[in-house]
Amino acid sequence: MKMLRFRSPSLRSLDQEILCTIRLLDDSEISCSIQRDTRGQFLLDHVCNHYNLLEKDYFGIRYVDPEKQRHWLEPNKPVVRQMKSQQPYTMCFRVKFYPHEPMKIKEELTRYLLYLQLKRDIYHGRLLCPFAEAAYLGACIIQAELGDYDPEEHPSDYIRDFKLFPKQSLKLERKIMEIHKNELRGQCAALAELNMLQRAHSLETYGVDPHPCKDFTGSTAFLGFTATGFVVFQGNKRIHLLKWADVSKLKFEGKTFYVIGIQKEKKLVLTFHTSTPAACKHLWKCGVENQAFYKCAKSSQIKTVSSSNIFFKGSRFRYSGRVAKEVIEASSKIQREPPEVRRAQFGQSRSFNSLSHKNLIMNMEPLVPALPSTNEYEETAMDSGRRILERERENVSGALVSVCLLSLFSSPCASMLPTPVDDSQGGVDLLFSSPVQSPVRLLRELHADPDIQAQLEAERERDRAYERTRLAARSRMSGVLTSSLRLLSSNDRVNACVLSVARFVAVVMGVLLVTVPTLLLLLESDIDVSFLHEIRQTPEFEQFHYEYYCPLRRWILCKISMAMENLWSD
């Protein structure tokens, strides 16, 4: 008996190390090796240990899949299961949750990393700001990078060595130099960075990671999540701001994203359409995480969120980590010597002009999709060759069987018919060679008699008449059978339709037998179970209860009361 073997990963494949490269906020890189079961939290802890960072809840690791869709690395899942790109893996360390009040950040190191993130946001055009604000932010960056203005060291066009904004005009550069020379003199790098954080966090686009989509009219819009709430931008103008306290539910279906909330004591449902289902799911996850981080008072209050409605299962997700209030409380309790902040030198800064735009785009390119290895190709070729050989063997064996069968039926010794005998050599007489008269001669003599010939002719006529009658009866029977078969086939079709209708009715009745008691249990009972309580709190259920069920119940009760009154009056 053949034993079944289940394929399981070998110890060598489990112990195989995978190289991961993580790009930091100053464009430097660190690398580490992980196992196949290493979780995402390990990589985040590795980067934080590299920085000696304690306030690490604001940060995360981001990666891009082969379809150019960005994702945040989930800390509780293995890295290999999340990555879809070819090894070695490349990721980026970024700010995930922007602090609502940067002044409450305890350590200078954390403020410096936030400063680097905001500098990137300004350079890529994510942090939109008017001319005066842009000039002040640019001057803070110059003061932090170069220090005080020195006419002997800095030429008249020293700002040109920095690329601060996507569109940097000569007028803006002159304004930046003016503020740098006159207003920021004497500020150290840490103070200039802090001033930059204070001014940046008051802007509308502070902390906004824009998600492109289209609204219900087909117009392009950009969605974002901030510490205040959910925001919608069209162009450079903010058209919606829904605070987290007013957002009741975020959900998605395919490429459609829904924001359900309350505004001015009225229910509000905003609908947006993304380019792909993956982009819509990423948008939904970002919204769920930001809502949990900024809205909840404790991480124990965070619940698993589902994107589905009441009866259909969808994606489920739960934010894992501390919330903003807990992070601020933990920061206030830090008791240690401030760690050393190793700032990037002037020539290593992203703002420096030596970093060309081409290199910047190369750093943002998505990862290459995984291709099969040469071993996989060889195994595929061997499998295909093995299948071809098996087919050829089957064809050869089939041909041999057919040849054997033909030889069996064509062999004279295997035939069931007698071997023919030539009549010229005596014919049938040789079979009956005896002193008795030959049957052939006897038949010839009988056929020569006229009476016998007449009898034989009459018998032949009767045989032909019987054959005609039999053929006519057979044709009539075949007609009857054909008509009955047609009737039976039509009956089969009718029976199939009846059976399908019966099945449909049975399924509908089964669904009603399950859903109607469940709805009555939800709508009429006072059972306070956590599962039923969560369903009753959903906006869809409340809408169904007040807009459909209550009017239907009132109508049924009215009809019943009218029927009872008519019955008593009669």
Side-chain angles (χ1 to χ4, degrees):
M1 183 178 178
K2 224 175 182 182
M3 298 296 292
L4 292 176
R5 293 185 179 180
F6 296 94
R7 297 183 63 184
S8 60
S10 61
L11 294 176
R12 183 178 179 182
S13 63
L14 288 175
D15 296 337
Q16 181 183 2
E17 293 187 348
I18 302 171
L19 181 64
C20 292
T21 301
I22 303 174
R23 294 172 183 162
L24 304 180
L25 288 164
D26 58 356
D27 292 323
S28 61
E29 295 181 351
I30 60 173
S31 300
C32 66
S33 298
I34 62 172
Q35 308 291 331
R36 296 187 64 85
D37 57 347
T38 302
R39 298 182 183 272
Q41 186 65 43
F42 172 81
L43 293 178
L44 184 59
D45 293 339
H46 179 74
V47 178
C48 294
N49 292 335
H50 170 78
Y51 278 121
N52 194 13
L53 177 66
L54 289 183
E55 297 171 298
K56 56 186 178 182
D57 297 272
Y58 299 113
F59 302 91
I61 295 179
R62 172 175 275 168
Y63 65 94
V64 183
D65 65 14
E67 284 74 29
K68 300 182 180 180
Q69 176 60 49
R70 296 186 301 174
H71 303 273
W72 287 107
L73 193 69
E74 296 186 31
N76 293 332
K77 291 184 179 180
V79 177
V80 177
R81 291 187 181 180
Q82 301 182 61
M83 300 294 293
K84 301 178 182 179
S85 59
Q86 187 180 10
Q87 300 178 16
Y89 299 146
T90 303
M91 312 172 198
C92 298
F93 178 74
R94 298 290 183 261
V95 174
K96 188 175 183 180
F97 303 110
Y98 289 73
H100 183 50
E101 298 178 81
M103 290 296 295
K104 292 185 178 181
I105 297 176
K106 181 68 176 291
E107 297 192 325
E108 180 186 344
L109 173 63
T110 313
R111 290 194 294 269
Y112 172 67
L113 296 177
L114 178 60
Y115 157 79
L116 291 179
Q117 179 67 62
L118 290 175
K119 193 167 68 168
R120 298 180 67 91
D121 293 344
I122 293 173
Y123 179 78
H124 290 293
R126 288 190 292 266
L127 186 61
L128 303 178
C129 44
F131 180 82
E133 302 294 336
Y136 184 83
L137 294 177
C140 289
I141 294 174
I142 298 300
Q143 180 68 25
E145 297 279 347
L146 297 182
D148 293 339
Y149 171 75
D150 189 350
E152 296 182 358
E153 294 183 2
H154 302 145
S156 58
D157 57 350
Y158 67 99
I159 299 295
R160 292 185 181 179
D161 292 336
F162 288 84
K163 183 63 177 175
L164 304 175
F165 298 90
K167 296 180 180 179
Q168 189 166 311
S169 62
L170 184 60
K171 180 181 178 181
L172 180 60
E173 290 180 355
R174 289 175 180 173
K175 186 64 177 177
I176 291 173
M177 287 190 291
E178 179 184 345
I179 298 174
H180 178 227
K181 293 176 182 179
N182 303 324
E183 299 182 19
L184 303 180
R185 178 174 293 276
Q187 294 185 6
C188 63
L191 183 57
E193 293 165 2
L194 181 60
N195 290 331
M196 185 242 190
L197 298 183
Q198 286 181 327
R199 186 64 65 92
H201 101 280
S202 62
L203 299 174
E204 288 185 345
T205 53
Y206 168 76
V208 175
D209 184 15
H211 299 262
C213 61
K214 293 185 181 296
D215 60 10
F216 68 98
T217 63
S219 303
T220 302
F222 295 93
L223 312 185
F225 309 100
T226 66
T228 307
F230 168 76
V231 293
V232 182
F233 286 87
Q234 279 189 347
N236 297 337
K237 184 180 179 181
R238 189 179 71 185
I239 61 173
H240 275 296
L241 171 59
L242 197 61
K243 296 183 178 181
W244 288 124
D246 299 330
V247 176
S248 57
K249 186 176 179 62
L250 302 172
K251 71 174 187 177
F252 79 98
E253 294 177 1
K255 296 189 290 186
T256 307
F257 179 69
Y258 301 94
V259 180
I260 303 171
I262 299 173
Q263 197 170 42
K264 297 180 180 179
E265 298 182 355
K266 293 183 180 179
K267 184 177 180 180
L268 178 68
V269 179
L270 300 176
T271 305
F272 302 94
H273 304 280
T274 59
S275 57
T276 61
C280 193
K281 187 174 183 179
H282 174 64
L283 173 62
W284 174 70
K285 281 187 174 182
C286 291
V288 170
E289 288 184 319
N290 279 270
Q291 185 180 22
F293 184 80
Y294 294 114
K295 182 179 180 180
C296 296
K298 296 181 180 180
S299 56
S300 58
Q301 299 176 353
I302 301 174
K303 298 179 181 180
T304 301
V305 182
S306 176
S307 66
S308 63
N309 50 26
I310 300 175
F311 300 105
F312 296 94
K313 183 179 179 182
S315 298
R316 297 174 65 84
F317 182 71
R318 184 179 186 274
Y319 167 67
S320 58
R322 293 189 292 186
V323 298
K325 293 183 179 179
E326 294 176 336
V327 174
I328 294 174
E329 292 177 1
S331 298
S332 63
K333 298 178 182 179
I334 295 177
Q335 300 291 335
R336 69 166 182 175
E337 290 294 327
E340 180 185 359
V341 180
R342 292 170 291 183
R343 290 178 169 83
Q345 299 298 321
F346 173 66
Q348 298 174 351
S349 173
R350 169 175 285 275
S351 305
F352 190 57
N353 201 25
S354 62
L355 180 62
S356 65
H357 187 65
K358 180 179 179 181
N359 293 331
L360 175 66
I361 295 177
M362 289 177 64
N363 286 335
M364 296 178 61
E365 283 183 353
L367 304 175
V368 181
L371 297 174
S373 63
T374 55
N375 294 331
E376 293 176 354
Y377 280 127
E378 291 172 0
E379 290 175 1
T380 306
M382 290 175 65
D383 290 339
S384 61
R386 195 178 297 113
R387 292 194 206 99
I388 293 171
L389 288 175
E390 288 176 358
R391 291 199 197 99
E392 290 179 354
R393 288 171 185 168
E394 291 175 0
N395 294 335
V396 171
S397 61
L400 289 174
V401 171
S402 61
V403 169
C404 292
L405 291 173
L406 286 172
S407 62
L408 175 63
F409 284 109
S410 61
S411 176
C413 62
S415 177
M416 300 299 295
L417 299 176
T419 304
V421 181
D422 190 4
D423 190 54
S424 63
Q425 298 177 357
V428 186
D429 294 337
L430 295 176
L431 299 174
F432 300 93
S433 55
S434 65
V436 185
Q437 186 179 8
S438 172
V440 178
R441 294 178 182 176
L442 181 59
L443 288 174
R444 288 173 183 171
E445 291 177 357
L446 290 174
H447 281 283
D449 190 350
D451 296 333
I452 293 176
Q453 289 292 334
Q455 291 177 2
L456 291 174
E457 187 65 29
E459 289 178 358
R460 294 192 190 98
E461 187 63 30
R462 285 196 299 270
D463 292 339
R464 285 194 289 268
Y466 174 75
E467 188 68 23
R468 287 193 296 269
T469 305
R470 189 171 64 83
L471 292 174
R474 182 182 293 177
S475 62
R476 286 196 298 271
M477 288 297 295
S478 63
V480 172
L481 288 174
T482 303
S483 60
S484 62
L485 287 174
R486 290 175 182 173
L487 183 60
L488 287 174
S489 62
S490 62
N491 290 336
D492 290 339
R493 288 194 293 269
V494 173
N495 291 335
C497 294
V498 172
L499 184 61
S500 62
V501 171
R503 287 177 180 173
F504 176 74
V505 172
V507 171
V508 171
M509 292 299 295
V511 172
L512 290 177
L513 287 175
V514 175
T515 55
V516 171
T518 305
L519 285 175
L520 292 177
L521 183 65
L522 291 169
L523 295 166
E524 298 294 341
S525 68
D526 296 330
I527 301 175
D528 192 10
V529 184
S530 60
F531 170 70
L532 299 178
H533 182 72
E534 290 180 1
I535 294 178
R536 291 191 184 105
Q537 295 297 322
T538 56
E540 295 86 351
F541 186 83
E542 292 179 355
Q543 181 182 5
F544 171 77
H545 183 269
Y546 292 111
E547 295 184 8
Y548 298 99
Y549 179 72
C550 290
L552 179 63
R553 184 176 60 177
R554 288 194 296 268
W555 181 80
I556 293 175
L557 292 176
C558 181
K559 292 295 182 183
I560 292 174
S561 61
M562 290 176 60
M564 295 297 293
E565 290 176 359
N566 294 333
L567 181 63
W568 285 108
S569 62
D570 294 339

